[in-house]
Amino acid sequence: MAEPPGEPGGGRGRGPAEPGGGGGPQPRGRRRLEALLNRSLRIRMSDGRTLVGAFLCTDRDANVILGSAQEFLKASDSFPGSEPRVLGLAMVPGHHIVSIEVERDGAGPPYP
C-alpha cells in the first residue's frame, strides 16, 4: 500500500526509479551523484568564499550539504593566504554556488 502524501517517503512525485518505487534502472544523474557521496568537493560561492568538504547530500534546489567543511576566504592584499575556518557540517544554498570541483584523492593540501 502506498504512503499518503505528506508522509515520509511518499507523495512527492517520486517515480519508479526511487527506492521502493517499483524497481527499474536509476537515472544517470542520480548514479553520478551517488558516485560522489563522501568525496571531497570544492565549492566556490558567489561572495568569493570557497568551501571544501565531504559531499553528503543535495536536493532538487541544488542546495549541498558538506561534512567536515572548511571555509577559505578569497585572498586579498590585506589577507594573502588566511587560515581555513573549520565549519564542520555546512549547508550551501544552491543559488550561491558558482562552481563545484571534485578534489583528487591523495592530492596534498586541500586548498592553497
Side-chain angles (χ1 to χ4, degrees):
M1 182 171 174
E3 295 175 357
E7 294 289 324
R12 306 257 352 239
R14 299 183 199 292
E18 293 292 323
Q26 298 212 353
R28 190 176 98 199
R30 181 176 174 145
R31 286 194 309 266
R32 291 181 73 185
L33 283 173
E34 286 177 350
L36 293 175
L37 285 174
N38 297 314
R39 297 277 309 268
S40 182
L41 297 184
R42 177 183 301 171
I43 299 179
R44 290 194 173 89
M45 298 174 56
S46 57
D47 63 1
R49 293 180 292 164
T50 299
L51 299 182
V52 177
F55 173 62
L56 299 180
C57 69
T58 188
D59 62 13
R60 67 183 74 209
D61 296 321
N63 300 313
V64 174
I65 304 288
L66 295 178
S68 304
Q70 295 183 354
E71 175 187 56
F72 297 86
L73 300 177
K74 184 167 62 170
S76 65
D77 295 335
S78 56
F79 299 105
S82 63
E83 288 292 314
R85 184 171 81 150
V86 176
L87 301 177
L89 193 63
M91 192 280 283
V92 185
H95 62 276
H96 286 296
I97 296 174
V98 173
S99 68
I100 300 176
E101 299 174 34
V102 178
E103 295 276 294
R104 286 186 278 161
D105 293 329
Y111 186 78

